[in-house]
Amino acid sequence: AQSVTQPDIHITVSEGASLELRCNYSYGATPYLFWYVQSPGQGLQLLLKYFSGDTLVQGIKGFEAEFKRSQSSFNLRKPSVHWSDAAEYFCAVFSGNTGKLIFGQGTTLQVKP
Amino acid sequence: DSGVTQTPKHLITATGQRVTLRCSPRSGDLSVYWYQQSLDQGLQFLIQYYNGEERAKGNILERFSAQQFPDLHSELNLSSLELGDSALYFCASSVDLSTGELFFGEGSRLTVL
């Protein structure tokens, strides 16, 4: 069955430092992959998506992610974190067979001043 | 603003009661998804509709039901409520079924006392 694993439940970084959030997926075919962000009290906002082609995808707010098929990973990165990036981040995989978007458990990002 | 509208934003009710959550998708989107978010279960897919027809079902309890109306808005009905049903319920919409790119509303927070 399709699944998504986000190994880090909670990450704390200093403002201005670089960030990498990990995501591993399990899916038989070429996956459609997503990163969403949820700020406190808000819904989920799409940060970026990977469907095919270039394995390094750019998103909003300065985020990027790299698809690595050999590692079944889709890690999210940002070169310099801002205090406003503090939120919960969800990785997701879309199953075309079932029509479901399956989410990981989420990673909470805390940004230290 | 994602364009997806959910009402009510907050709801407090008692065990055994029944509530209805409403969702209006983005203009032009034919597909509606319902998700439940709780601390212990994370984001769980409940059900999906496309142009009025049920297309995919997830971990939706028998006490819960949903439908999508001809004007494409959707309602999620939760009955015989239990304490464990307290959660944030998200609606999301997409223009089609092929990619899994969803746009989320801000959610309806249900508290069962």
Side-chain angles (χ1 to χ4, degrees):
Chain A
Q2 298 86 9
S3 65
V4 178
T5 302
Q6 294 179 245
D8 305 305
I9 296 174
H10 193 107
I11 281 184
T12 300
V13 300
S14 297
E15 190 168 16
S18 63
L19 171 70
E20 182 168 31
L21 302 183
R22 296 183 292 163
C23 172
N24 293 99
Y25 67 90
S26 172
Y27 187 70
T30 300
Y32 290 170
L33 295 162
F34 304 83
W35 275 98
Y36 283 84
V37 60
Q38 183 181 22
S39 298
Q42 301 294 315
L44 279 76
Q45 181 183 21
L46 180 66
L47 277 178
L48 48 78
K49 61 193 178 190
Y50 171 78
F51 290 166
S52 64
D54 193 347
T55 57
L56 184 64
V57 294
Q58 303 296 322
I60 62 171
K61 305 185 181 187
F63 285 92
E64 66 177 26
E66 186 171 12
F67 170 60
K68 293 185 177 179
R69 184 187 301 277
S70 61
Q71 298 177 20
S72 297
S73 69
F74 188 56
N75 294 348
L76 182 71
R77 300 195 293 249
K78 186 170 184 177
S80 177
V81 169
H82 187 262
W83 65 265
S84 61
D85 293 326
E88 189 159 18
Y89 292 80
F90 293 92
C91 181
V93 61
F94 177 68
S95 168
N97 291 338
T98 62
K100 299 177 187 177
L101 186 63
I102 299 164
F103 286 88
Q105 283 296 98
T107 298
T108 300
L109 173 65
Q110 183 179 1
V111 180
K112 291 190 303 184
Chain B
D1 182 7
S2 67
V4 177
T5 303
Q6 289 188 248
T7 57
K9 291 192 186 308
H10 301 277
L11 192 55
I12 301 174
T13 188
T15 56
Q17 295 298 305
R18 172 189 171 96
V19 299
T20 297
L21 309 180
R22 183 187 167 101
C23 170
S24 294
R26 290 188 322 159
S27 176
D29 284 359
L30 299 179
S31 191
V32 169
Y33 302 72
W34 286 97
Y35 283 82
Q36 179 193 58
Q37 185 180 37
S38 60
L39 283 175
D40 54 344
Q41 296 289 323
L43 264 168
Q44 295 289 315
F45 169 72
L46 295 179
I47 199 164
Q48 179 207 0
Y49 283 84
Y50 180 79
N51 204 19
E53 300 288 328
E54 181 186 307
R55 291 300 300 257
K57 220 167 186 176
N59 302 320
I60 188 166
L61 300 172
E62 285 193 10
R63 300 184 286 108
F64 296 180
S65 64
Q67 56 183 327
Q68 186 180 27
F69 295 87
D71 66 352
L72 301 178
H73 91 271
S74 177
E75 292 181 355
L76 178 66
N77 300 296
L78 315 175
S79 61
S80 303
L81 286 167
E82 302 175 0
L83 296 178
D85 298 327
S86 295
L88 194 53
Y89 291 85
F90 284 110
C91 170
S93 72
S94 67
V95 66
D96 59 27
L97 300 173
S98 62
T99 65
E101 183 173 352
L102 305 188
F103 294 86
F104 282 79
E106 293 190 353
S108 293
R109 182 168 295 282
L110 172 66
T111 302
V112 182
L113 300 177

